[in-house]
Amino acid sequence: MTSSYIPAPAGDSDGYDPAAIESKWRERWQTRGTNKVDIAGGERPFYALMMFPYPSAEGLHVGNLFAFTGNDIYGRFQRQQGHTVFEPLGYDAFGIHSENYALKVGEHPMRLIPKNIANFRRQLERAGLMVDWSKSLDTTAPDYYKWTQWVFLQLYQRGLAYKKKAAVNWCPSCKTVLANEQVIAGACERCGTLVEQRLLEQWFFRISDYAGRLLDNLDTLDWSDTTRTAQRNWIGRSEGARVVFRVTSGEEITVFTTRPDTIFGATYLVLAPEHPLVDALTTDAQRADVSAYRDRATKQDLVSRKSTREKSGVLTGARAINPATGDEIPIWIADYVLMEYGTGAIMAVPGHDERDFDFATVFGLPIVRVVAAPDEGVDTLLAAAFTEDAGGHLVNSRQFDGLAVAEAKQAVTTWLAGQGAATAVTNYRLHDWCISRQRYWGPPIPVIYCDACGPQPVPERDLPVVLPDIPDFRPDDSGVSPLARHAEWFHVACPACGGAGRRETDVSDTFLDSAWYFLRYPSVGDDRVPFDSSITKKWLPVNSYIGGNEHAVLHLLYSRFITMVLHDMGHLAFEEPFTRFRAHGLIIREGAKMSKSKGNVVNPDAFIDQWGADAFRTYLMFLGPYEEGGDFRDAGISGVRRFLERLWLAAELASTDGEPDPAVLRKLHQTIAKVSHDIPRLSYNTAIAAMMEYMNVLRKGERTPHRSEVEPVVQLVAAFAPHIAEELWERFGHEASVFDSGWPAFDAELARDESVQLAVQVNGKLRGTLTVAREIPQEEALALALAEPGIAKHLTGPTRKVIFVPGRLLNLVV
RNA sequence: GCGCGGGUGGCGAAAUGGUAGACGCGGGGGACUUAAAAUCCCCUUCGGGCAACCGAAUGCGGGUUCGAGUCCCGCCCCGCGCACCA
């Protein structure tokens, strides 16, 4: 028997030529349909999803490739485990990024985006991803956003979409609403202009109705802990009570507090300046001060208002009764109380809340101690707010004196509830999702306004509401979307009465585009429904989702929310879209985040030209732990390239004469075990290191490897370096793709070392190592150790204790 | 301020509580070669020593343990996220 691969004659050696084999296999995969997925019939479906990119004009970023390659390896590995793997990729191409860039370069986004996408596609194909391009999608295509609009209508029908006037961050330069996270230190994250506050009518989704479920379900998900923690913090559940304070003039003020136990120390109330009761409560004497203060507060942008720590406020002149003490206390307004959290009103307990303490100090308000630590008395002076609750007990609280804080929270709430003054409630920090954008480049929100019928949803049969191709899409300062200027689009018949109607001119947030795209991929091409029910049943929920932690909160939370709503409406059988999620790390270069301004951006095309896609992929995965990212240093890639060259050479030289070396086989099986263990954990760097180690053994002293020592490594390396693996696999005489060849069999017998290095310690310090049989008993190991002069000389006294870890270590305590 | 990561050779990094530094880069030396490249071999944490060897060492200080990079307590530094959330 001879190898089916006949080496080229010496002098005309056909060495490793990545450019040639990579383009060969790109074509071969295409013609053979290697990456095409049998959506309807494929067995053991496995959905390996990665977060889709925004196709920027600069082209693919190394960070994108790092992320995609990590997912691709996982997907290819699952395919080699016998799954039908679906690894789709599409484009998240709507949004303010594209629109601003289009304005900057003076080209219409409808022309610009297809160019960007074509460039992205070219770069992605070079990277050798196992993507089924027939199932790609683009959020800006009408046949996609038709269904984004359908999703909106579902929420609308369910009563989960509503309009309200809301104070929003407004960037006067970008002429748009900004989310809080887009405002950095009071300025627009994009252009640096100081942000103002505006009141606009906006569409919201009632995600806060789902806060409890979104929080509770987190416990059941196989997700990165950091991501789950981030979501928990974002949802921000807190247990407390709503307490009603009666105003002496008759009104009632409801406050939210997490410390009902401290109510005996509530010496004043504070309302947010925007609180609806302020007008009614304010006395004539205070009216001028109050309205001046409110004017000042509303002019300030939301972020700098929140970041100012100095306390300010004014008296309303009204007084309320503390339901616990019966005392009259003053009512203030102050901007440290936020209208959007809780009830927009608080009971101030300066003795036990830092902010209230600061405020009371500034305005000379009474500070009463109602909680004391074990070593403190009723009258121990409060130099600062005492906010610890563990170990504290109540004082100055009448019948509750002496109760521990935790019990008092319950007891006080129950007592107040008995008088109708309180209810125990759970409050969430999560607020409703504003989806309106006063911009052009997004899916129009499918609503028509009619003077006779009011707002009407666009009937499903009329979807999509196509975004018109208009030359002037520049936003202006009116706060109204550019679409309003396009008369023949704007004016439309009312779907209810047929009379004159006007279209909603806001478009929706890009987060809505991406909150359901994973549902669409398997059903791409189906124009009857957004997602086919039997296909969805087969492929979803997503088995593995990989993406950046920058989307840990919003994108993942919104996707979960939309999925949950569609589940509740009977469209989906599951309520959590991503069974497993792992956040990948960030690639940095020379210790700094890659950015154009720092000039340290790596151009993937240039690297692939020079080193080949296989080396580039493998190097990216070798940089560091996938979930932590790594430092991209140009010099490092040579080691990975050398590894592939050595693999190539080993395959070229492999012979079928004689028998494989048992020592090499042992290392091979140890390597199979290591790689099989590491890939599912995304521990790609150590899997590569293990294969490199094996290559060192295989080629030790320029030995000629046996074919059976090389062939399995081709399968192991395939997920990392797919082109070279296919080429070598073919040269070994296989007709089918290496990705349909399965996974090398692991033999524990062959992998077992018969002798091991036993560490010998004296008092925990290493004093020597013994090469011994693996199963050596303690007595024999001890005897061998004592016979070793280098060890014996450290035994300065009688042995008091012997610790023996079989096969690993012997520790003698003297 | 709060939350989440992280701190290990010249560098990127490995290490179920059990020989710290695997693997790779860089560096040094050697073999092969007329020479170079490629390939292969050896060395490369620091200090001391001709050497066998000895000592120190995983941000700092304590602790638990026969044994700690790993677990516990208290700090310092770096990155990311959130930030008057009652």
Side-chain angles (χ1 to χ4, degrees), chain A residues 563-779:
Chain A
T563 303
M564 228 172 245
V565 172
L566 293 176
H567 164 265
D568 291 352
M569 296 184 74
H571 296 298
L572 296 172
F574 51 91
E575 60 176 49
E576 286 294 339
F578 315 122
T579 307
R580 170 179 148 124
F581 172 77
R582 292 292 179 274
H584 65 248
L586 201 69
I587 291 291
I588 57 172
R589 199 192 199 191
E590 285 127 27
K593 200 168 156 175
M594 280 187 215
S595 70
K596 265 203 289 189
S597 58
K598 289 203 189 73
N600 62 349
V601 176
V602 174
N603 177 349
D605 280 328
F607 265 85
I608 290 176
D609 287 343
Q610 189 180 350
W611 301 97
D614 284 336
F616 191 59
R617 287 167 59 105
T618 310
Y619 178 55
L620 286 175
M621 296 301 104
F622 187 61
L623 289 178
Y626 185 65
E627 290 176 79
E628 283 165 37
D631 200 342
F632 190 98
R633 289 164 317 117
D634 299 9
I637 194 171
S638 63
V640 166
R641 170 65 185 261
R642 201 144 33 225
F643 163 69
L644 296 178
E645 306 247 16
R646 273 150 53 93
L647 174 65
W648 180 274
L649 193 64
E652 199 171 43
L653 297 173
S655 112
T656 49
D657 300 335
E659 292 298 317
D661 181 329
V664 174
L665 275 191
R666 185 180 317 127
K667 188 67 179 171
L668 171 66
H669 283 270
Q670 290 169 352
T671 305
I672 293 172
K674 174 81 175 146
V675 174
S676 311
H677 176 252
D678 285 353
I679 292 181
R681 295 164 56 222
L682 312 187
S683 189
Y684 300 140
N685 56 332
T686 55
I688 295 164
M691 290 187 283
M692 287 174 164
E693 268 187 71
Y694 178 62
M695 200 53 61
N696 291 341
V697 170
L698 187 71
R699 291 287 294 132
K700 182 90 176 170
E702 298 187 298
R703 71 183 280 280
T704 299
H706 191 272
R707 175 170 159 167
S708 61
E709 297 164 353
V710 184
E711 215 168 346
V713 202
V714 173
Q715 291 172 299
L716 293 183
V717 86
F720 297 87
H723 311 86
I724 189 176
E726 287 278 39
E727 178 67 22
L728 295 176
W729 194 247
E730 184 184 61
R731 289 177 180 225
F732 276 132
H734 302 283
E735 303 219 331
S737 167
V738 67
F739 297 102
D740 295 321
S741 73
W743 192 247
F746 169 67
D747 185 332
E749 276 306 308
L750 290 177
R752 195 193 314 281
D753 286 306
E754 61 264 24
S755 71
V756 291
Q757 295 284 105
L758 188 75
V760 183
Q761 297 179 337
V762 177
N763 289 340
K765 268 186 190 277
L766 184 73
R767 294 302 181 185
T769 55
L770 299 170
T771 304
V772 297
R774 194 189 167 75
E775 318 288 356
I776 190 168
Q778 177 171 335
E779 307 80 62

Side-chain angles (χ1 to χ4, degrees), chain A residues 357-438:
Chain A
F357 186 93
D358 292 346
F359 189 84
T361 307
V362 171
F363 292 101
L365 295 161
I367 299 170
V368 177
R369 175 188 282 280
V370 290
V371 181
D375 58 333
E376 293 174 325
V378 183
D379 300 316
T380 308
L381 222 65
L382 279 158
F386 176 70
T387 56
E388 283 168 52
D389 48 11
H393 62 276
L394 265 60
V395 293
N396 283 327
S397 300
R398 302 190 190 169
Q399 70 267 37
F400 300 102
D401 281 357
L403 274 186
V405 166
E407 299 155 55
K409 283 182 182 175
Q410 292 271 342
V412 171
T413 306
T414 309
W415 174 66
L416 289 171
Q419 303 164 38
T423 7
V425 292
T426 301
N427 198 56
Y428 297 94
R429 185 190 161 280
L430 180 70
H431 46 256
D432 281 344
W433 173 14
C434 175
I435 62 146
S436 293
R437 294 292 180 270
Q438 290 71 36

